[in-house]
Amino acid sequence: MLWIRVLAFPLLFWSGSYEDSVGFSEEGADCTHQQYASMGASEVFLHCPMPKGISTVEWRVNGSSGAILKEAREDGSLALWNTSLAQEGEYSCHDPTTGQVLRRVHLQLGYPPGEPTVQCRSASYPSAINCSWKLETETHLETSFFSTYRYGMEGVAQECVQPTAGAASCSIADVQMFSIIPYMLNVTAVNALGMATHIFPFFLNEIIKPDPPEDVEVSPIPGERRKLLLKWKPPSSWLLPEYFPLKYKILYMKNGTSNNGKPKLSEQTSLVLSGIYPGTTYHVQVAAKDFLDHGEYSPWSVPATGAAWKPE
């Protein structure tokens, strides 16, 4: 039922032009109505209550004393055509005789959200799953996100915990290893003009991406003018390297050049780099990946620098 409730809540916002009253007063002069509309809409109407005995009203924008008359209709509403951000602002309609404010409307323009683009990552077995998402198109409106997940299509919907309400990320602490049933993450974007949902299925082993290796060292080998000894450690966030080993990719480059040598591969946490130029400084970086080739390589480590041995 949680899955259904989370999806049902945003339906309250499905409208092309959304209006809400804020700061209502009995006289109505200080009542500001919040109205939303889509940018590029062919027409948007701002409504004004016409008291008896008045056949027309005056519209003003952003406090301007100049009346807007040509777009006003017989019922007192103001028509805006082909809306753009330049038309956002504070509109007010007035009794043309007394100047009394009959209604204030704050117009805000934007777009309903598109479907979020979602990615998830776990830095280790077993470790929390962290997911984040973004909208490809700017909405220009405050947009919030709601996230839940299921363990398989028939599982019970649970909260994917967001750091703050409406945030663009969440985490899952319930890690199901070696499962043949996928997680189903549901992310819904909501603003005043609409909503969009993306369901992102994934298996844990598909989203494994370690942190970079640590403590990379580049050392000379006594008596070896064309070799370097490289050492590093698994990322400290990789919790059980004895049960879930890593493999490594090593990138090296001569000082002062932008050309990298062909990356070396290693299943150990050390490597002898052969065939280097004597007396030349090298920069080395290392990336890690699950030994069984699941998921992605980590980002590159912080570069380490060293040169080969040379006789005194």
Side-chain angles (χ1 to χ4, degrees):
M1 292 302 293
L2 175 61
W3 187 272
I4 296 173
R5 287 198 296 268
V6 170
L7 290 181
F9 173 77
L11 292 176
L12 297 173
F13 298 94
W14 273 111
S15 66
S17 182
Y18 174 76
E19 186 174 347
D20 183 30
S21 295
V22 181
F24 179 78
S25 68
E26 290 184 3
E27 293 79 13
D30 296 326
C31 175
T32 298
H33 296 258
Q34 181 70 46
Q35 185 166 338
Y36 299 91
S38 294
M39 279 196 288
S42 58
E43 58 183 22
V44 172
F45 297 105
L46 310 183
H47 299 286
C48 180
M50 294 182 62
K52 293 181 179 180
I54 294 180
S55 60
T56 185
V57 298
E58 291 181 352
W59 279 93
R60 301 174 188 174
V61 59
N62 294 329
S64 171
S65 59
I68 303 173
L69 296 176
K70 60 182 179 180
E71 294 91 352
R73 305 198 314 168
E74 290 184 359
D75 63 357
S77 61
L78 179 67
L80 302 178
W81 313 102
N82 302 317
T83 53
S84 67
L85 281 177
Q87 292 169 293
E88 273 194 340
E90 192 85 16
Y91 291 80
S92 58
C93 64
H94 301 253
D95 183 319
T97 303
T98 64
Q100 178 188 1
V101 177
L102 303 174
R103 173 173 287 188
R104 300 182 190 276
V105 179
H106 180 76
L107 178 64
Q108 193 169 355
L109 299 169
Y111 299 105
E115 188 174 305
T117 300
V118 180
Q119 62 177 8
C120 293
R121 179 201 172 201
S122 182
S124 178
Y125 299 109
S127 183
I129 299 167
N130 296 304
C131 298
S132 61
W133 46 85
K134 62 181 181 179
L135 299 177
E136 297 298 329
T137 302
E138 172 61 51
T139 66
H140 300 283
L141 295 174
E142 182 177 350
T143 301
S144 297
F145 300 93
F146 302 87
S147 58
T148 59
Y149 72 94
R150 291 174 180 269
Y151 183 51
M153 287 298 296
E154 303 302 321
V156 177
Q158 303 179 64
E159 178 187 9
C160 188
V161 180
Q162 295 166 260
T164 58
S169 63
C170 71
S171 61
I172 300 172
D174 175 27
V175 178
Q176 301 286 339
M177 297 177 60
F178 313 119
S179 174
I180 60 173
I181 302 175
Y183 285 88
M184 308 293 292
L185 178 68
N186 181 302
V187 178
T188 299
V190 181
N191 68 21
L193 294 179
M195 58 172 277
T197 295
H198 181 67
I199 297 177
F200 181 71
F202 64 89
F203 291 95
L204 179 62
N205 63 345
E206 295 175 339
I207 62 165
I208 287 292
K209 184 177 180 179
D211 289 323
E214 301 171 359
D215 299 333
V216 180
E217 298 180 359
V218 181
S219 305
I221 302 175
E224 298 287 352
R225 300 181 60 187
R226 295 180 60 84
K227 293 181 180 180
L228 282 170
L229 176 62
L230 313 181
K231 292 183 179 180
W232 57 88
K233 294 179 181 179
S236 55
S237 57
W238 191 259
L239 301 178
L240 300 170
E242 63 274 23
Y243 296 108
F244 304 102
L246 293 165
K247 62 180 181 179
Y248 302 94
K249 181 166 60 175
I250 300 92
L251 187 67
Y252 61 100
M253 178 175 61
K254 289 189 295 181
N255 186 43
T257 69
S258 58
N259 296 322
N260 300 325
K262 183 178 179 181
K264 302 287 187 180
L265 300 177
S266 176
E267 297 177 358
Q268 309 300 321
T269 55
S270 63
L271 177 73
V272 174
L273 189 60
S274 303
I276 66 169
Y277 291 92
T280 301
T281 299
Y282 281 80
H283 303 285
V284 176
Q285 292 177 278
V286 185
K289 191 178 185 181
D290 175 68
F291 186 82
L292 297 178
D293 212 33
H294 294 144
E296 300 180 44
Y297 269 102
S298 73
W300 292 106
S301 67
V302 174
T305 302
W309 173 88
K310 61 179 180 180
E312 297 295 334

